[in-house]
Structures are given as C-alpha cells and as structure tokens.
Amino acid sequence: MQKAWCYEEYGSKEVLKLGEFPLPTPLQNQLLVQVRAAALNPIDSKRRQRPIFPSDFPVVPGCDMAGVVVAKGSRVTKFNIGDEVYGNIQDFNAEGKLKQLGTLAEFIVVEESVVAEKPKNLSFEEAASLPLAVQTAIEGFETAKFKEGQTIFIVGGAGGVGTLVVQLAKHLYGASYIVATTSTPKVEYVKNLGADKVIDYKKTSYEEIEEKFDFLYDTIGDCKSSFVVAKDDAPIIDITWPPSHPRAVYSSLTVSGENLEKLRPCLENGKLKAEIDPTGPYKFEDVVEAFRYLETGRARGKVVISAFPSQHFPSLISCESQHNLTPEMVPLEMSVY
C-alpha cells in the first residue's frame, strides 16, 4: 500500500483526504516512478471543484512530478530502473478519462513518452515545478508563430507560466523587447527574470500604455481588457478557457517528453530557471495548506510539494506480457486517516 492525497467528491480543498491505495503496476509502455517532488497547478484546483474532465472517483490530484524509476514495462526502451525523470503525467488532449492516480502519491505510473531525464543540475523540487507550466508557455509561442526580434507583452509575469514566458522570450525565442505586468511587491522579481520593463498593474492601466506590441501573451485571462496593447494584426494568446476577447486564441499544451528534452541546454546552462514560490516547498502532509495558498492567486512561481514519505521501494517489476498486468489503480479498501 502507499499513501496518497485524494477526494471522492467535488468541492473546496476541504474534500482532500490522506488515504492508502494499492501500488500501481505499469503497463508495457509505462514506468513506475517513486515520486520525490510534485507541483500544484490551477488546473488541479479547477478539476477538484467541478467535473471539467471525465474521471472516476476517488481522484488523486497532481500533474507534475519528478522522481526515480523503480519498475518498467517490457516495451519501455528509453529509461532504466534507477533513472531520475520528470514530466507532466496528465494529457488533457488525449481521448478518454484522465488518470485517477495523480502525482500527489508515493508512486505513480506514467507513459515513457511524456517524461524526460531530469537535468542533473536541478533538484527534484526544481524539476517538478517545470513540466506543465513550461509546456504551456512554449505552446503559446508556437501557436502565435512568434519570430525572433518581435516584441512581446506578457500579462501576469510572476505566476507559474508567466515566469517561464518571460525567460523563454529572452533566452529561447529572441524577443527584442519584453514587457510584463505584475503587482507592486513582485516588480523587481520579474525584472530579474529578464523583462525589459515591468508594469505594476495596480498603478498603471492598459489604456495608459502607449506602446503597441507584436504579441500579447495573457496568462491570467484578462485579454478582454489587455487586448488594447496589441497591434491591430498581433496574435493574442490566452491560456484560460474560454478567452475573454474575440481576437484571442486559446492555447493549451502538448504533453511530450521530447519537448522537455529540447529544453535541456537552457536548463543546464542556467538561462532557464525553475521558479519556486518562497513559501515552499511544502511537506507532503501540508498539501491542503499548499492548495490554500495556491488558490489565493498570490504565488510567485510554482507551489511545490516535497518530503514525500516513502522510504521503501516495491519489488522491481518487468512486465513481460499483458496477461499478468493489473489495472493502473484499484481504488479498493481505501482507508482515510
């Protein structure tokens, strides 16, 4: 058995309970990973609050993780037992239901195609903070067909996605001029990420900004107002659904370990840095408090969970045939304490 946070009904963070679940068995193309750190995302809260994605109860929340491979299916070729990996285990664009067993558990199963080798210079906490947010950030640039030398205006430069959009604009996509918004206490923080100019939205309205930009990247869903800073033909990307302005295009993410591998040079040379909110990392037993903080909307970077409790490894598994595989998670005999 393993420990995992779960909920059996939709609602506020108070529906979360710490329970016990059977250890999952990897299918032929899957890895069994001992989770060493996980990150929370707004989608984890939204999914808990209402049925926006089909799923069976009980649900163990969490998309992002970093950990160690402890077992693998017979068709896995990229990874070996003992490898350190990271990734977003939930593919929101795939057909069917999302995984019941998310990353707020001691052990999870995940397809080898959606994870990558953890950069050696990153801690488990740093690596866990990246996958969903960085994949979302990249998708926005690709959807907008951003070109080197263009200017960009980023709404929400201090959040989990925004911090990465600022860095990617500077170090990967070659933006010539980067402007981002944030609140008063975070202005210097966003400047240090690489923004050429940071606008305190509490002091300056969009209408007061005289410059017009080649690309408007809205990470908080405010494009009903922020659209005024975009040039007439500029792409407007909104990562929230539905976009609040008719010109805006919704951008989600492509879940891919290959995309994470492409970022390895930027991560290893320090140009792209993981940004963890200074209130964390939170301990495994403090997940409810971590969600409480995430849902205030005041996080600077990512809210990360570490200090996972497991001190044991299951017997190493090599699944040679489909015949003796068990389901991903059997939610029976769950005890909540």
Side-chain angles (χ1 to χ4, degrees):
M1 300 293 285
Q2 65 161 327
K3 293 180 181 179
W5 284 93
C6 66
Y7 55 92
E8 297 184 273
E9 60 180 317
Y10 295 110
S12 67
K13 61 186 180 301
E14 282 73 24
V15 302
L16 287 163
K17 299 175 182 179
L18 187 58
E20 287 193 342
F21 291 87
L23 289 172
T25 300
L27 300 179
Q28 292 180 343
N29 67 334
Q30 290 181 326
L31 307 169
L32 178 64
V33 177
Q34 183 191 33
V35 180
R36 298 288 296 276
L40 304 186
N41 292 281
I43 190 62
D44 298 316
S45 292
K46 293 175 183 177
R47 183 185 176 199
R48 188 197 68 234
Q49 291 164 356
R50 60 187 187 277
I52 56 176
F53 294 103
S55 185
D56 295 323
F57 288 123
V59 173
V60 174
C63 303
D64 289 331
M65 68 85 204
V68 179
V69 177
V70 295
K72 65 177 187 175
S74 60
R75 294 182 183 175
V76 171
T77 59
K78 296 179 182 178
F79 302 100
N80 294 307
I81 293 169
D83 286 349
E84 297 179 351
V85 297
Y86 77 120
N88 164 22
I89 74 167
Q90 297 284 14
D91 187 349
F92 299 103
N93 297 317
E95 295 183 2
K97 297 178 179 179
L98 294 183
K99 293 182 176 70
Q100 273 183 277
L101 182 58
T103 59
L104 293 181
E106 294 179 82
F107 297 91
I108 53 97
V109 287
V110 59
E111 294 72 27
E112 69 167 337
S113 62
V114 303
V115 300
E117 181 182 350
K118 180 182 76 67
K120 290 180 172 55
N121 62 316
L122 298 187
S123 67
F124 284 106
E125 289 80 7
E126 289 170 327
S129 75
L130 289 168
L132 189 150
V134 80
Q135 289 169 341
T136 301
I138 288 172
E139 192 87 355
F141 284 99
E142 300 300 316
T143 302
K145 297 180 171 56
F146 187 81
K147 297 181 177 61
E148 184 177 354
Q150 289 185 317
T151 61
I152 181 172
F153 188 94
I154 303 159
V155 181
V161 175
T163 56
L164 293 165
V165 173
V166 173
Q167 294 181 74
L168 290 169
K170 185 175 184 66
H171 298 299
L172 188 65
Y173 289 98
S176 60
Y177 186 49
I178 303 166
V179 177
T181 68
T182 192
S183 59
T184 308
K186 302 173 187 175
V187 169
E188 290 302 317
Y189 170 69
V190 176
K191 282 184 181 178
N192 291 334
L193 291 174
D196 297 299
K197 182 178 180 181
V198 180
I199 292 174
D200 184 341
Y201 70 82
K202 293 187 176 182
K203 297 179 180 178
T204 304
S205 68
Y206 298 120
E207 288 75 13
E208 294 176 277
I209 300 169
E210 296 181 355
E211 303 151 300
K212 301 298 178 183
F213 294 82
D214 298 316
F215 177 28
L216 170 59
Y217 200 136
D218 196 317
T219 72
I220 66 171
D222 198 28
C223 57
K224 65 181 182 299
S225 302
S226 64
F227 79 95
V228 298
V229 305
K231 293 179 180 178
D232 290 341
D233 58 347
I236 300 174
I237 293 295
D238 190 339
I239 66 171
T240 65
W241 177 261
S244 59
H245 190 273
R247 275 184 59 195
V249 174
Y250 171 68
S251 177
S252 179
L253 75 161
T254 298
V255 180
S256 165
E258 184 178 351
N259 283 347
L260 294 177
E261 285 291 349
K262 290 177 182 177
L263 294 174
R264 179 179 295 276
C266 285
L267 290 167
E268 292 185 340
N269 64 22
K271 289 185 176 180
L272 181 62
K273 297 180 180 179
E275 296 293 329
I276 297 175
D277 186 274
T279 62
Y282 289 80
K283 294 180 180 180
F284 186 79
E285 58 264 32
D286 294 330
V287 160
V288 174
E289 176 61 21
F291 269 110
R292 184 205 65 76
Y293 178 68
L294 175 74
E295 291 167 18
T296 66
R298 296 197 296 266
R300 192 178 79 181
K302 294 300 294 291
V303 177
V304 173
I305 311 297
S306 66
F308 276 64
S310 178
Q311 299 298 318
H312 69 280
F313 285 84
S315 299
L316 301 182
I317 302 166
S318 178
C319 302
E320 297 298 336
S321 70
Q322 188 76 23
H323 176 72
N324 53 15
L325 294 179
T326 59
E328 171 196 321
M329 181 178 77
V330 184
L332 301 176
E333 301 178 1
M334 183 187 73
S335 64
V336 175
Y337 55 90

